[in-house]
Amino acid sequence: METIKKSIIKRAGGTARLVLIASLILLASCDDYLDIEPKGRALLKTTADYEGLIEDLSPTYDHTTSWFLAGDATWYRVEEIRNYTYPDYSVSVLWDESYDRAANSIDNNLYNSCYSRITNCNAIIDNVMDSDGKEADKLLAMAQARIMRAYNYFFLVNTFARPYDPATAGQTNGVIVRDHMFESIEEEGVQRSVAEVYDFIQSDIDAAIDDLPHVAKNSFRPDRTFGLALKAKVHLFKREIDACMQACQEALTEAPHGNHQLWNMTEDYQRYAPMLLAMGYPEQAIDEPQYMGMNDLIEAVWKSRVIYGFDGAEHLLYQFCATYTDPFPMYLTREVLDLFERDADLRYRFLIRYKAQHETAPAGAQDFASLAVKWNPAGIRLSEVYLMMAECQARQGYPESAMALLELLRSHRMVPGRYVHLTATTADEALRLVRQERRRELFLTYNSFFDMRRFCSEFNETLTREFEGQTLTLSPTSHLLTFPFPLKAMQNSHLTQNSR
């Protein structure tokens, strides 16, 4: 982790180092923070100082446990799942509603990180217009702070509150919203309804869009394509399909101006598959005895020579999960792996080992095996905009248009001439295929859990899964779909617990 921190500090330059020191002082403790008057201005003088707060030195959104709950991932030691060695993991894998998570969740990294970033955003929004710098730079910093504040509240409300339902969102407890810096130790945050949180998110997005840059300094800072993609996503989660489609179209129109395009995985396939065949190797590792001597080299080609970095053109905003290496070396479940056409899907070939590295893993599980491909587990990629647009087309009753968008995406992900071209004649079938493609394209990102929540809520779906011969079920009203506030947050604020 120290290596990546040094790399990011070097990338951001001297401003990041200054702001790191400022942030540590500001956030070290409540008393230390209140000793700085007013609101840290003694440390943050110029517009460039405030701009440094936008780019987190370690932009983590730890949703590892939600991968287990959504069925994307499983722990690599099945005995430890059975024995509750890590209770949160076991509860999530086994959908155990009897375990009291609220009573045992002392702290939560996602909760703390999101509010820490919101604090930084509030410092910018409250003060940057009075800083020393160019007016254009101030407006840029303000816009990027607003869009990042909206993004962090989107994570919070979709993790710690019930899913958005238009009929009940106004009466459902959400999360605490702070729209400014603390003024005094007596000031307490107010827990807003889910509807109010979404309204706040949308107001920040709308206020930011016009001032976001076409091209950001790097993929860790938001640009206008990202802002439009987030706008579309919020509309989608609110079931505002027309507005979502319009924002998606605007994002796709803007993407070339931001130098964004889909990663064409077929180019990497065409570069290395002929080389392997010319050497007398199969083009992919095969779990059969006659290939055992070849598989290490084959795997090394696909898992280390295929490189897609933080700055890949498909990344609209790059953010980490728990660490900068995630999702390596997380195990995917058989449920997800069975969705892939394994001889054709390059997402499988480039990222997933042909067999489990640990014999202790649950049956059928295999691990994410590439450190060379930065999968962007907590940001947004351009592919997601195509998937949102396809979902909107399916929901509006245009299955052929939805399939055309899926085909465009899949043509960048599959071995040419080898994969199944998806077709649908009804809206329901089109939506089913879009949902499957979302699981393939967005596996081991936060989307699996967020999608699980919204589809269960909207369609009243009861989910099932198999674990060691046992059929598990999860109802659409299960409290497991909402993570509890950590005990530290409950003790330090007037929160009504949303889960257990």
Side-chain angles (χ1 to χ4, degrees):
M1 179 56 78
E2 288 305 314
T3 301
I4 193 68
K5 284 184 178 178
K6 290 177 183 176
S7 172
I8 296 173
I9 291 172
K10 182 178 180 181
R11 183 188 70 238
T15 298
R17 288 188 285 273
L18 171 64
V19 171
L20 172 60
I21 296 168
S23 297
L24 289 174
I25 295 172
L26 280 168
L27 301 174
S29 73
C30 197
D31 289 339
D32 290 340
Y33 166 71
L34 291 168
D35 286 340
I36 300 173
E37 293 291 344
K39 305 174 187 173
R41 288 185 189 141
L43 291 168
L44 303 174
K45 294 285 191 181
T46 69
T47 304
D49 293 340
Y50 284 102
E51 284 183 308
L53 285 174
I54 295 165
E55 188 178 343
D56 197 337
L57 289 174
S58 183
T60 58
Y61 294 78
D62 188 354
H63 43 270
T64 308
T65 306
S66 74
W67 289 344
F68 296 118
L69 190 65
D72 257 21
T74 187
W75 190 238
Y76 73 103
R77 290 179 176 169
V78 70
E79 277 297 323
E80 293 182 347
I81 298 174
R82 295 193 204 102
N83 297 335
Y84 281 64
T85 304
Y86 307 100
D88 284 345
Y89 291 178
S90 297
V91 168
S92 296
V93 170
L94 301 174
W95 288 342
D96 181 0
E97 294 187 323
S98 67
Y99 185 87
D100 191 347
R101 298 179 301 173
N104 293 282
S105 298
I106 297 173
D107 218 347
N108 185 285
N109 289 334
L110 176 64
Y111 188 91
N112 295 338
S113 296
C114 284
Y115 276 113
S116 176
R117 283 186 287 267
I118 288 167
T119 297
N120 286 350
C121 290
N122 284 340
I124 298 168
I125 294 164
D126 282 3
N127 301 313
V128 72
M129 298 309 293
D130 295 326
S131 65
D132 298 329
K134 296 178 181 178
E135 188 72 10
D137 293 339
K138 295 176 185 180
L139 292 174
L140 171 61
M142 177 77 78
Q144 290 185 316
R146 284 190 182 278
I147 208 73
M148 289 307 297
R149 182 169 70 176
Y151 195 54
N152 280 276
Y153 275 123
F154 185 77
F155 263 86
L156 289 167
V157 77
N158 279 287
T159 303
F160 299 100
R162 295 290 299 172
Y164 186 94
D165 182 338
T168 61
Q171 295 78 48
T172 303
N173 287 327
V175 299
I176 288 176
V177 172
R178 287 193 176 276
D179 59 0
H180 61 275
M181 292 289 291
F182 292 89
E183 295 291 347
S184 71
I185 197 168
E186 287 82 17
E187 183 180 353
E188 295 178 349
V190 177
Q191 186 175 10
R192 307 283 184 86
S193 71
V194 168
E196 289 173 323
V197 178
Y198 268 88
D199 287 345
F200 184 79
I201 291 169
Q202 286 184 298
S203 68
D204 259 353
I205 294 172
D206 291 340
I209 288 289
D210 289 343
D211 291 319
L212 289 172
H214 292 298
V215 180
K217 286 186 177 180
N218 55 57
S219 64
F220 292 87
R221 295 196 185 192
D223 64 10
R224 193 164 190 269
T225 310
F226 167 77
L228 290 165
L230 179 59
K231 180 180 176 70
K233 192 161 189 163
V234 171
H235 284 305
L236 182 64
F237 277 54
K238 291 184 69 179
R239 309 178 196 174
E240 297 168 349
I241 304 306
D242 288 341
C244 175
M245 183 175 293
Q246 180 179 343
C248 283
Q249 188 58 63
E250 291 176 5
L252 294 176
T253 301
E254 171 66 22
H257 300 290
N259 301 321
H260 296 299
Q261 61 183 352
L262 290 174
W263 174 21
N264 191 348
M265 292 182 169
T266 65
E267 294 176 353
D268 292 284
Y269 169 78
Q270 290 162 349
R271 182 178 299 116
Y272 294 116
M275 179 191 76
L276 286 169
L277 294 172
M279 294 168 60
Y281 288 83
E283 65 175 39
Q284 65 181 27
I286 302 172
D287 190 15
E288 295 177 8
Q290 64 267 35
Y291 297 107
M292 291 303 100
M294 305 177 179
N295 283 339
D296 286 346
L297 185 143
I298 297 167
E299 286 286 275
V301 168
W302 296 123
K303 303 304 186 293
S304 62
R305 291 202 182 187
V306 175
I307 299 171
Y308 202 75
F310 295 124
D311 58 350
E314 188 169 307
H315 300 313
L316 307 186
L317 178 78
Y318 197 99
Q319 303 287 269
F320 306 150
C321 179
T323 74
Y324 76 97
T325 66
D326 288 326
F328 176 88
M330 189 61 66
Y331 269 80
L332 280 86
T333 63
R334 182 170 54 189
E335 172 190 359
V336 174
L337 293 170
D338 285 347
L339 294 173
F340 289 95
E341 299 168 60
R342 299 192 184 192
D343 65 334
D345 200 313
L346 297 173
R347 292 166 292 197
Y348 176 87
R349 185 168 313 184
F350 292 174
L351 302 173
I352 302 165
R353 279 181 58 86
Y354 72 102
K355 68 174 184 177
Q357 190 170 8
H358 298 89
E359 294 180 356
T360 56
Q366 294 162 230
D367 49 315
F368 189 102
S370 176
L371 280 169
V373 173
K374 304 307 179 186
W375 192 234
N376 201 358
I380 293 182
R381 303 198 309 263
L382 186 61
S383 61
E384 192 179 339
V385 180
Y386 284 96
L387 289 167
M388 288 192 288
M389 178 73 94
E391 182 176 333
C392 290
Q393 293 282 8
R395 287 174 175 274
Q396 290 188 326
Y398 301 109
E400 292 182 357
S401 297
M403 294 303 100
L405 287 162
L406 290 192
E407 173 60 24
L408 190 154
L409 174 61
R410 286 164 62 81
S411 69
H412 287 71
R413 302 295 192 245
M414 313 290 278
V415 177
R418 194 179 294 177
Y419 67 97
V420 175
H421 297 268
L422 302 178
T423 60
T425 57
T426 68
D428 287 345
E429 178 64 7
L431 183 57
R432 184 185 70 81
L433 292 173
V434 169
R435 290 179 62 178
Q436 281 188 355
E437 194 62 34
R438 285 185 68 87
R439 291 212 73 181
R440 282 186 287 263
E441 175 65 20
L442 303 175
F443 73 88
L444 294 185
T445 72
Y446 63 93
N447 289 282
S448 302
F449 176 58
F450 286 6
D451 281 356
M452 176 191 193
R453 286 164 42 92
R454 70 184 178 98
F455 288 128
C456 280
S457 175
E458 180 178 358
F459 300 122
N460 196 35
E461 294 178 343
T462 295
L463 305 180
T464 62
R465 75 164 53 138
E466 298 293 322
F467 181 81
E468 295 195 309
Q470 180 184 4
T471 300
L472 309 174
T473 62
L474 188 73
S475 79
T477 59
S478 174
H479 67 267
L480 292 177
L481 292 170
T482 302
F483 278 78
F485 294 124
L487 287 171
K488 284 186 178 180
M490 295 293 295
Q491 292 167 354
N492 295 322
S493 56
H494 292 295
L495 276 169
T496 299
Q497 184 60 272
N498 291 333
S499 186
R500 61 183 177 86

